[in-house]
Amino acid sequence: MKTSCPHCHGVFEDGRADGAYLRDEQALAAIILWGSGQFDTVDIAKALQCREDAVYRTLQMAKDGARADRRVG
């Protein structure tokens, strides 16, 4: 059975968002909330009504991107 999540990117087998990341405004909101130092991934997932693993993956991707930018610049 394939399902899609309105908060995450993609269509997933068996309702699992194994490779999911947040998109657009939700990704930006997660990064801002995390950067404030006042929220953990569980709190962010609850606030954005999405899975915690999607928040974690999105934050990790943003960190990796920031590291790459620092190496180039």
Side-chain angles (χ1 to χ4, degrees):
M1 173 180 183
K2 290 188 177 184
T3 59
S4 63
C5 175
H7 305 292
C8 302
H9 176 69
V11 176
F12 314 105
E13 294 290 335
D14 299 321
R16 294 183 183 179
D18 292 327
Y21 296 89
L22 300 180
R23 300 186 333 181
D24 306 325
E25 291 86 9
Q26 277 197 317
L28 183 58
I31 293 166
I32 291 169
L33 290 171
W34 179 260
S36 75
Q38 297 179 26
F39 301 93
D40 62 15
T41 55
V42 173
D43 295 331
I44 295 169
K46 287 179 185 175
L48 298 178
Q49 299 178 351
C50 64
R51 294 172 53 128
E52 182 188 8
D53 61 324
V55 172
Y56 177 82
R57 284 188 194 90
T58 300
L59 294 172
Q60 188 62 48
M61 186 173 61
K63 289 177 192 175
D64 291 345
R67 279 189 223 119
D69 287 347
R70 276 187 250 130
R71 279 183 258 153
V72 172

